[in-house]
Amino acid sequence: MAKLIEFETERLRLRQWLPNDREPFAALNADPKVMEFFPAPLDRIASDAMADRCQALIAESGWGFWAAETKKTTQFIGFVGLHVPIAELPFSPCVEVGWRLALQYWYKGFATEAARGALRVGFELLSLPEIVSFAAVQNAKSRAVMERLGMLEAATTFEHPTMPVGSALRQHCLYRLSREHWRAHAASAKASAKGARLNFRR
């Protein structure tokens, strides 16, 4: 079993999944607003299966889409982390940074805060050469997070193969961040993530 990577930011704890996460995760996956830019909301079976996959991948490699909770309340708010996409994308192989939070935790800066910590893991601990992120072209909120992370938008869009042909959501934008570019902005990135620390345990 790989060494488990968990970390904290100023307000959040990113950790392995727990059984009690399944119910609030199912609630956010059933929310049409949260799932606006995905093919459809998930039922409880599909949501639990996704949580199981996230947990298994973290157990296997030590990192992945971590469960996110607030340090103040220990309330599960969604997931943020790093992932190797299963779908064959035009820029595969790659590692993406992604997030999905319950609606009541939007507009608080949580996604950006946690994703900055995930980028630190990816570049400092895993020594990844590049991390990408992508979303439906219409998903302005996620694109804004990518831009706040310092990611650079690719010149062209692409069709996501898991989206139905003809769907308005099939066209995706791609954002990229190289380790060199991230290092060039390390001072400001670390200042933004002040108070973060990386924890390890088996």
Side-chain angles (χ1 to χ4, degrees):
M1 181 176 292
K3 182 180 291 187
L4 174 62
I5 299 173
E6 295 180 324
F7 67 93
E8 297 180 2
T9 65
E10 183 179 358
R11 298 177 295 168
L12 302 172
R13 182 173 295 108
L14 284 295
R15 55 161 175 78
Q16 177 60 295
W17 292 71
L18 301 173
N20 289 343
D21 298 331
R22 281 9 183 217
E23 185 172 347
F25 189 52
L28 74 86
N29 281 326
D31 187 331
K33 185 65 176 177
V34 173
M35 301 299 287
E36 180 181 3
F37 298 106
F38 294 89
L42 303 181
D43 61 21
R44 181 60 187 265
I45 293 174
S47 179
D48 284 353
M50 183 176 185
D52 290 342
R53 288 194 300 273
C54 290
Q55 182 177 1
L57 288 170
I58 292 173
E60 178 183 343
S61 64
W63 55 273
F65 280 148
W66 291 281
E69 68 177 30
T70 63
K71 292 164 68 173
K72 185 175 182 179
T73 67
T74 69
Q75 179 67 43
F76 172 88
I77 67 171
F79 71 71
V80 183
L82 304 170
H83 178 67
V84 178
I86 298 173
E88 187 66 28
L89 303 172
F91 41 89
S92 295
C94 64
V95 174
E96 66 166 316
V97 59
W99 48 86
R100 186 179 303 175
L101 302 183
L103 188 61
Q104 62 265 40
Y105 299 104
W106 291 15
Y107 308 112
K108 300 178 186 297
F110 285 148
T112 304
E113 180 179 324
R116 282 187 176 131
L119 290 175
R120 287 186 62 195
V121 171
F123 289 129
E124 292 185 359
L125 300 182
L126 305 179
S127 298
L128 298 173
E130 180 185 65
I131 297 174
V132 305
S133 195
F134 46 88
V137 171
Q138 307 94 314
N139 191 345
K141 295 181 181 65
S142 284
R143 296 180 68 170
V145 174
M146 297 170 197
E147 291 168 4
R148 285 195 291 272
L149 294 174
M151 306 188 86
L152 304 177
E153 185 178 3
T156 59
T157 59
F158 69 98
E159 293 188 352
H160 199 292
T162 67
M163 294 291 180
V165 175
S167 169
L169 301 178
R170 188 172 171 89
Q171 204 69 26
H172 273 49
C173 55
L174 169 67
Y175 285 74
R176 315 184 83 135
L177 183 63
S178 69
R179 186 166 59 212
E180 289 73 19
H181 183 78
W182 181 81
R183 282 175 172 169
H185 297 79
S188 60
K190 288 182 179 179
S192 299
K194 185 178 180 181
R197 64 179 183 273
L198 304 177
N199 302 319
F200 302 87
R201 68 177 177 83
R202 289 191 182 275

